Amino acid sequence: MVVKLSTEQRWKAIEENCCMPGYPTQYILKRKHWPVYVEGHGIYLTDTEGRDYIDATSGFMCCTLGHGNKRVIEAIKEQLDKLDYVLPGHNDASIKLCQRVAEVTPGDLNHVFIGLCGSDANEEALSLARQYFKNRGKQNSIIVSQWHSYHGQTLDAVSMTAVPQMKTTHGRDVASINNGVYHIAAPYCYRCDYGLEYPSCGIQCAKALDVFARNVGPENIVAFFGEPVLGSSGSVSPPPEYYPMIRQICDEHGFLLIMDEVMTGWGRTGEVFACNHWNVVPDIMTMAKGISSAYLPVAAVAFGERVNDAFRGQAFPYQGHTHSMYPAGAAASLAAIDVLMEERLWENAAKVGAHLKGRLEEIGKQSEIVGAVHGLGLHLGLEIVEDKQSKKPGRRLAAAIVTKCEEKGVLTMREEPSSIPVVPPLIITAEEADHLCDVLSEAIKETESAGRK
Ligand SMILES: Cc1ncc(COP(=O)(O)O)c(C=O)c1O
């Protein structure tokens, strides 16, 4: 039975019992607005009032296949009809999923854990990388991450996360979550930490890893942990030279490259994995979101032969969680991967994404408050600023655009401080993308002219 609340019942539960992720209850009550969706079909969601919206968020960049995919839903039902839960790993669906992930990931990423969420996958990747050096009798302990990257909410994951506005918002201060993690400048050309311009910069942000390694001593570093496209900072994609240079620096100094493909993986950027754009194979790759198109919570960590070799005859360092290798989650992922691969949806992401980006750039040229258009494939984002000269983040303007889009039937969201991801499901057509752009363009123009009054 599907739960349905009356408006009064819903507000009572929100006021008295419900802690919404990311929103103070008082804010929601004051706004008297909390949309609830009851159905999803393809790229559309329907709310309690029967209004349809284009889901330009893919629900936190997860729903790669769109909503209501019958093959995935049937696979979950069939699995649950046969077997609900069993000790982790003692079911064929999760064993098969490890094999399927190994087949689809690039290079020799042949060894796979199945977990629950992106944060969990990143914790596993770090445990694995640290233990890899211990097994080889080494003392390496430092992790290098990027400013503006996001890796999750658990202890190691939040230590690596460095979206500036989030750094102190987890009930812990910056010092207490350092955990052996150091951050270097990100490949964020619009706000280059060195004040340089691409390509004459020579990709200083990649060279920063080499400088850091030589200063701290490469024998102390476990891994560089990169987010291929800085998703929570507005879909900021790196220059094409960046990851090949990073791979080379890791190899020269002998530490590992870990790539967090939690948001970018499974077709979002126009390749099955973002690292394929640059022909770079990491030593460890983490995945979640699109692996099951979010029909159930599933994550994976895949690693290569070099890492695996350090564990021959020894258990891997990670115990997993109660629901690691969960049968229904694995069944959902197997079906989602089949749909993605058979329909070659990353190609649609590349094609429609290029068209969408072109239109967003046109909108950006005509607007004083669109500072930059970022991204690759259907992992796009608009950076909203108070004006192009100052580049000051336009937090209030971005919030106003999101509200106007919602009123006009397009769901978007604001990322800290002022970017709007444009990340619809990978099944979107060029016509639907045009409609999405028309709505965004109207919302931006209205917000801009209201700001001038
Ligand atoms: C790049 C990246 N890594 C890790 C995470 C954390 O994933 P989860 O929220 O499933 O724990 C996210 C979540 O948005 C993410 O975008």
Side-chain angles (χ1 to χ4, degrees):
M1 194 192 67
V2 175
V3 175
K4 250 185 155 176
L5 299 178
S6 68
T7 309
E8 294 71 35
Q9 287 169 329
R10 189 176 306 122
W11 280 109
K12 182 171 158 49
I14 290 176
E15 182 169 4
E16 296 176 9
N17 312 110
C18 192
C19 304
M20 295 292 182
Y23 288 91
T25 305
Q26 288 316 316
Y27 169 81
I28 297 172
L29 295 175
K30 202 167 130 202
R31 247 188 110 205
K32 295 195 176 62
H33 178 66
W34 188 256
V36 165
Y37 304 100
V38 291
E39 267 184 58
H41 298 286
I43 66 161
Y44 294 96
L45 286 171
T46 308
D47 71 8
T48 43
E49 315 298 317
R51 288 193 66 206
D52 287 334
Y53 302 81
I54 290 184
D55 180 7
T57 67
S58 292
F60 266 137
M61 301 76 159
C62 302
C63 310
T64 45
L65 309 184
H67 301 280
N69 187 291
K70 291 283 177 274
R71 265 175 86 178
V72 182
I73 295 166
E74 281 311 313
I76 296 169
K77 282 185 186 164
E78 273 177 31
Q79 178 60 55
L80 285 174
D81 264 347
K82 279 279 177 206
L83 176 69
D84 41 26
Y85 179 79
V86 67
L87 283 176
H90 293 268
N91 68 93
D92 275 346
S94 65
I95 293 171
K96 174 78 186 159
L97 180 59
C98 292
Q99 190 179 47
R100 191 77 176 107
V101 171
E103 280 165 11
V104 180
T105 47
D108 69 344
L109 298 172
N110 296 330
H111 306 276
V112 181
F113 289 125
I114 301 297
L116 277 174
C117 66
S119 310
D120 164 34
N122 287 337
E123 298 283 327
E124 290 184 24
L126 278 197
S127 301
L128 190 66
R130 288 188 168 126
Q131 191 66 39
Y132 162 81
F133 283 104
K134 286 209 174 87
N135 286 8
R136 297 168 70 232
K138 305 272 171 85
Q139 300 300 317
N140 307 40
S141 62
I142 290 174
I143 305 292
V144 188
S145 170
Q146 303 154 302
W147 283 106
H148 301 284
S149 65
Y150 183 83
H151 301 286
Q153 300 277 319
T154 49
L155 189 56
D156 270 329
V158 87
S159 309
M160 293 190 296
T161 290
V163 178
Q165 294 73 18
M166 289 183 194
K167 207 55 194 145
T168 53
T169 56
H170 295 92
R172 312 157 181 143
D173 61 26
V174 178
S176 75
I177 56 169
N178 177 282
N179 246 355
V181 177
Y182 291 78
H183 295 96
I184 59 171
Y188 188 172
C189 300
Y190 182 65
R191 297 188 186 277
C192 176
D193 280 345
Y194 300 103
L196 299 172
E197 287 208 5
Y198 176 78
S200 58
C201 62
I203 327 294
Q204 278 309 313
C205 51
K207 290 180 184 163
L209 179 60
D210 180 56
V211 172
F212 180 81
R214 281 190 281 111
N215 281 315
V216 79
E219 68 283 3
N220 292 308
I221 300 178
V222 171
F224 175 75
F225 210 110
E227 188 185 359
V229 174
L230 302 163
S232 298
S233 293
S235 306
V236 177
S237 51
E241 299 88 338
Y242 179 81
Y243 273 100
M245 285 172 72
I246 290 283
R247 175 74 271 184
Q248 198 182 346
I249 295 164
C250 293
D251 289 343
E252 278 167 13
H253 290 299
F255 50 82
L256 301 176
L257 171 61
I258 306 177
M259 286 175 81
D260 175 344
E261 294 252 12
V262 165
M263 204 183 266
T264 48
W266 307 102
R268 167 87 22 222
T269 67
E271 288 279 356
V272 180
F273 295 99
C275 63
N276 298 0
H277 285 286
W278 313 299
N279 291 320
V280 165
V281 180
D283 298 292
I284 304 177
M285 181 195 282
T286 61
M287 298 152 256
K289 298 189 187 265
I291 189 172
S292 64
S293 192
Y295 281 81
L296 283 176
V298 182
V301 181
F303 51 100
E305 299 302 339
R306 169 182 171 195
V307 174
N308 190 53
D309 281 348
F311 289 90
R312 295 218 184 268
Q314 292 194 40
F316 292 108
Y318 204 72
Q319 298 289 332
H321 299 283
T322 304
H323 278 75
S324 299
M325 298 192 93
Y326 175 56
S333 290
L334 285 167
I337 295 170
D338 281 349
V339 174
L340 179 88
M341 300 310 285
E342 285 167 26
E343 298 182 13
R344 302 180 69 83
L345 290 177
W346 67 93
E347 291 179 353
N348 194 57
K351 196 168 120 223
V352 179
H355 172 70
L356 187 50
K357 191 170 184 188
R359 286 232 31 211
L360 294 176
E361 281 168 348
E362 280 306 313
I363 294 172
K365 274 187 208 144
Q366 289 159 22
S367 164
E368 188 48 33
I369 61 171
V370 177
V373 178
H374 298 296
L376 271 178
L378 282 172
H379 197 335
L380 301 172
L382 295 174
E383 187 157 343
I384 306 299
V385 291
E386 288 191 0
D387 59 85
K388 282 182 172 162
Q389 188 66 29
S390 74
K391 293 188 180 178
K392 211 167 153 218
R395 207 168 190 275
R396 199 182 38 81
L397 296 168
I401 294 168
V402 169
T403 304
K404 284 187 193 299
C405 283
E406 186 184 318
E407 287 163 7
K408 295 170 193 292
V410 170
L411 289 182
T412 54
M413 62 185 179
R414 181 183 63 81
E415 290 274 29
E416 287 292 349
S418 67
S419 64
I420 300 177
V422 184
V423 286
L426 310 188
I427 55 170
I428 193 168
T429 63
E431 294 72 37
E432 290 165 336
D434 277 333
H435 176 61
L436 193 169
C437 282
D438 293 342
V439 170
L440 254 173
S441 171
E442 256 179 55
I444 291 169
K445 278 186 192 145
E446 286 173 17
T447 304
E448 199 169 349
S449 54
R452 285 211 195 91
K453 278 178 198 153

